[in-house]
Amino acid sequence: MEVKVWKLESGSVNDYAPLVFGSDKDVASGMFDTSGASLSWSRKPRVEVFVEPGKKKPKPLADVSALTPGALVMNDKAKVALEPFLSRFGQFLELDCAGESRWFYNVTSVIPCIDEAHSAKRPSGSIVKEEFFEDRLPVDAAVFKDPLTAAAVLYVNEAGKAALEAIITEAAIVGVAFVELGPPPKKPRPRS
């Protein structure tokens, strides 16, 4: 059975404002580590709405916003709707955005499933087009990371995408994108 995988990202970047970190010290401390490890915060870090240079006010915020690669940030509406499904694969940590709560969704479900030898890479060695070991991919609905791309990419399988799309439609959530990775390889490869 062919298992499809998508990148799960914040969407609508041209229509909605991203968030930015309120403190460089918070970033430097590693509290926003998106490698797949469980995080613990002793306080709510501050985030701000990004205002484009030359503009007086920011674009509106989506229910799911961009902040840093490898994570999503949600408002209360998105958290309430998505948490029953997403909490199985990660954790929600509270942020302060101008006095309102936002929720940093940190995926902690890490599955080594990328076939690095057959993935396309940049000259720097980073993976630009993933190839997966099909037998390592979850079949049941899942959101996950791979250790090779964990700091930058959230993945969702077909069953997970269907579950999320139903929740997103029902709750009228804006700001989520599913980016297709392309067709899987035609023939199975021997495992090394």
Side-chain angles (χ1 to χ4, degrees), residues 46-76:
R46 193 172 45 83
V47 293
E48 300 166 355
V49 180
F50 175 74
V51 180
E52 292 179 54
K55 303 276 184 183
K56 292 190 189 305
K57 50 190 260 188
K59 293 176 182 175
L61 283 171
D63 299 316
V64 178
S65 302
L67 175 65
T68 188
L72 299 173
V73 175
M74 301 174 199
N75 63 12
D76 287 335

Side-chain angles (χ1 to χ4, degrees):
M1 180 175 143
E2 183 179 301
V3 181
K4 288 186 81 171
V5 177
W6 286 264
K7 289 182 183 180
L8 175 62
E9 302 177 346
S10 57
S12 308
V13 291
N14 294 326
D15 300 323
Y16 296 98
L19 296 172
V20 292
F21 297 106
S23 163
D24 291 339
K25 285 183 184 175
D26 287 347
V27 177
S29 76
M31 70 186 307
F32 295 103
D33 175 23
T34 57
S35 67
S38 184
L39 302 175
S40 177
W41 295 347
S42 58
R43 60 178 176 76
K44 290 190 290 190
R46 193 172 45 83
V47 293
E48 300 166 355
V49 180
F50 175 74
V51 180
E52 292 179 54
K55 303 276 184 183
K56 292 190 189 305
K57 50 190 260 188
K59 293 176 182 175
L61 283 171
D63 299 316
V64 178
S65 302
L67 175 65
T68 188
L72 299 173
V73 175
M74 301 174 199
N75 63 12
D76 287 335
K77 171 187 167 182
K79 179 185 183 272
V80 166
L82 295 168
E83 187 175 30
F85 176 74
L86 290 179
S87 62
R88 293 183 272 171
F89 314 105
Q91 62 183 149
F92 288 83
L93 298 141
E94 192 171 7
L95 300 164
D96 174 21
C97 184
E100 292 183 14
S101 290
R102 289 277 162 166
W103 301 91
F104 184 86
Y105 179 58
N106 177 43
V107 172
T108 56
S109 174
V110 180
I111 302 168
C113 56
I114 292 178
D115 180 349
E116 186 176 11
H118 292 92
S119 294
K121 296 179 187 160
R122 292 180 180 91
S124 66
S126 63
I127 294 174
V128 69
K129 167 76 176 78
E130 303 90 333
E131 294 291 343
F132 294 93
F133 291 111
E134 289 236 357
D135 60 340
R136 296 183 190 175
L137 291 170
V139 177
D140 294 333
V143 175
F144 58 97
K145 293 183 167 201
D146 179 279
L148 297 173
T149 58
V153 184
L154 304 176
Y155 298 106
V156 60
N157 64 0
E158 196 157 4
K161 179 178 179 276
L164 285 169
E165 285 176 330
I167 297 165
I168 290 164
T169 300
E170 174 75 23
I173 294 169
V174 295
V176 179
F178 300 96
V179 179
E180 193 166 356
L181 296 176
K186 299 282 188 265
K187 58 183 179 182
R189 288 184 289 280
R191 288 170 74 172
S192 46

